[in-house]
């Protein structure tokens, strides 16, 4: 595994020489820009506006343009020699409960490995202290051209450094959620919790896979072989809005249970329909359709009478 960063964890007066390694990797299918007409590869050229010609990558530097139009050129040496304490040191600032850091702030993760055998003991000490306390260490680190807050935590017996964004880089959520007063009934909440429990049964995160990449690879293979592209069946139309939230929850719970091979049993909090009447009560209620027919016939007779009156000729005055 390639080393990403070399430096030292500063834990009070304890120093731990460490190396960082990227803890994650993405499995995207590599796509290039091509000319749609003939498939020719499209490449970006580095063009100098002053000399009006293409320049090699070795002559590229970073620059900053001030508000008055002046440009300052910064070399790699300038950036490497920044007077920054966190450039080679991961300074532990505090220990906090993991819940105090909003996951929204988390960015890229790196495995932390020891740089030499002498670092094994202090490494294990910090790792075990974090495990016993259930806390994470808040630090700062400079990686490439950016200084970031970061946390040290334990994952499968290994220290992990997870960079974060700065607190003021998190946008406020005001105005996003519904602002009007919404009342959630206890039976709706109970039904939602029941649905959550059913969906969570035997869930294994490691079994998830990237359907998009798989579908994309199928399309690429079909193009290479000159066969018909695979097509997915059209999904049914989703409802525009939920008229009966309780009914939607009930149907979702039934579908989730049947999908897991268990019978959908009614929830105690479910709103049950009124029981059917039996015996004399049922016989008494039976004539209802006849009453409806009589009412319909009466309305039809009244309508015919009105039609005759409208059609009769008016008498001359």
């Amino acid at each position: 595994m390639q080393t990403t960063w070399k430096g030292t964890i500063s834990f009070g007066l304890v120093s731990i020489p460490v190396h960082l390694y990227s803890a994650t990797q993405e499995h995207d299918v590599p796509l290039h820009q091509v000319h749609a007409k003939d498939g020719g590869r499209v490449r970006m050229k580095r063009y100098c506006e002053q000399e009006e010609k293409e320049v090699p990558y070795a002559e590229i530097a970073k620059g900053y343009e001030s508000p008055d139009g002046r440009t300052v050129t910064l070399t790699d040496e300038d950036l490497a020699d920044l007077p920054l304490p966190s450039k080679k040191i991961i300074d532990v600032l505090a220990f906090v409960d993991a819940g105090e850091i909003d996951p929204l702030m988390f960015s890229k993760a790196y495995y932390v490995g020891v740089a030499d055998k002498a670092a094994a003991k202090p490494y294990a000490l910090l790792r075990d202290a974090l495990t016993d306390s259930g806390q994470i260490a808040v630090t700062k680190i400079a990686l490439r051209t950016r200084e970031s807050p970061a946390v040290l935590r334990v994952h499968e017996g290994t220290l992990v450094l997870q960079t974060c964004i700065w607190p003021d880089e998190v946008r406020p959520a005001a105005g996003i959620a519904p602002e009007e007063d919404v009342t959630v009934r206890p039976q709706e909440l109970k039904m939602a919790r029941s649905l959550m429990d059913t969906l969570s049964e035997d869930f294994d995160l490691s079994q998830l896979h990237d359907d998009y990449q798989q579908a994309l690879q199928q399309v690429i293979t079909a193009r290479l072989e000159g066969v018909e592209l695979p097509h997915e069946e059209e999904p049914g139309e989703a409802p525009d809005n939920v008229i009966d939230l309780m009914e939607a929850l009930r149907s979702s719970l039934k579908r989730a249970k049947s999908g897991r091979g268990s019978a959908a049993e009614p929830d105690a909090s479910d709103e049950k329909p009124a029981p059917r009447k039996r015996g004399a009560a049922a016989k008494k209620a039976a004539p209802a359709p006849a009453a409806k027919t009589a009412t319909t016939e009466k309305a039809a007779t009244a309508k015919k009478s009105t039609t005759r009156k409208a059609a009769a000729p008016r008498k001359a005055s």
Side-chain angles (χ1 to χ4, degrees):
M1 195 178 295
Q2 186 176 358
T3 301
T4 302
W5 183 90
K6 297 179 181 180
T8 303
I9 296 176
S10 177
F11 174 35
L13 297 178
V14 178
S15 296
I16 313 172
V18 296
H19 294 169
L20 297 186
Y21 308 88
S22 292
T24 59
Q25 61 179 2
E26 297 183 353
H27 45 69
D28 292 341
V29 175
L31 298 177
H32 307 291
Q33 290 185 333
V34 297
H35 188 191
K37 181 180 178 181
D38 52 26
R41 185 74 177 270
V42 175
R43 300 181 184 275
M44 304 298 292
K45 293 186 176 182
R46 299 172 179 85
Y47 183 81
C48 176
E49 294 180 351
Q50 290 280 35
E51 298 183 4
E52 297 183 349
K53 68 176 184 179
E54 186 179 357
V55 295
Y57 181 77
E59 297 181 11
I60 303 296
K62 291 181 173 61
Y64 172 79
E65 185 176 351
S66 63
D68 59 7
R70 291 178 297 165
T71 299
V72 175
T73 301
L74 299 173
T75 65
D76 292 339
E77 289 75 17
D78 293 332
L79 299 176
D81 293 336
L82 289 176
L84 200 60
S86 59
K87 186 169 54 178
K88 289 295 180 183
I89 297 177
I90 304 173
D91 191 15
V92 176
L93 306 175
F95 295 89
V96 300
D97 293 333
E100 292 188 32
I101 307 293
D102 192 328
L104 195 63
M105 296 179 60
F106 288 148
S107 185
K108 190 170 176 56
Y110 298 88
Y111 289 131
V112 181
V114 293
D116 52 46
K117 292 183 178 180
K121 182 67 178 286
Y123 181 102
L125 174 63
L126 178 58
R127 178 195 61 196
D128 295 348
L130 290 174
T131 301
D132 290 345
S133 66
Q135 294 181 311
I136 58 178
V138 180
T139 72
K140 283 201 308 182
I141 185 173
L143 284 169
R144 300 181 180 88
T145 59
R146 176 180 171 88
E147 184 184 52
S148 305
V151 297
L152 282 169
R153 56 187 181 85
V154 181
H155 172 72
E156 296 181 353
T158 303
L159 285 176
V160 172
L161 182 131
Q162 188 124 25
T163 59
C164 304
I165 60 176
W166 297 98
D168 61 356
E169 292 179 321
V170 178
R171 293 178 175 177
I176 304 298
E179 295 182 356
E180 64 271 11
D181 261 347
V182 179
T183 301
V184 177
R185 295 181 296 168
Q187 56 266 40
E188 292 172 338
L189 184 59
K190 188 173 182 180
M191 182 69 78
R193 291 296 303 272
S194 179
L195 176 59
M196 292 165 61
D197 292 340
T198 301
L199 292 175
S200 303
E201 290 176 2
D202 302 324
F203 175 73
D204 185 0
L205 185 63
S206 65
Q207 297 301 313
L208 293 182
H209 60 276
D210 193 337
D211 292 324
Y212 178 86
Q213 296 299 324
Q214 183 177 350
L216 177 59
Q217 192 61 61
Q218 290 176 355
V219 171
I220 292 174
T221 302
R223 289 288 193 196
L224 291 172
E225 297 177 356
V227 298
E228 183 181 356
L229 299 181
H231 295 285
E232 186 179 5
E233 294 182 4
E234 290 292 332
E237 292 186 4
D240 293 337
N241 54 5
V242 179
I243 303 299
D244 188 341
L245 182 58
M246 199 67 185
E247 181 59 32
L249 288 170
R250 186 186 296 110
S251 300
S252 300
L253 182 59
K254 183 178 180 180
R255 180 182 297 180
K257 287 185 176 180
S258 63
R260 294 179 181 276
S262 58
E265 301 189 9
D267 191 271
S269 65
D270 199 357
E271 294 180 348
K272 299 179 180 178
R276 298 179 60 185
K277 297 181 179 180
R278 297 184 179 181
K283 292 179 180 178
K284 189 174 180 181
K292 182 177 179 182
T293 304
T295 303
T296 305
E297 292 176 354
K298 185 176 180 181
T301 304
K303 184 176 181 181
K304 290 178 180 179
S305 176
T306 304
T307 305
R308 290 195 197 100
K309 290 180 182 179
R314 294 185 180 179
K315 294 181 179 180
S317 54

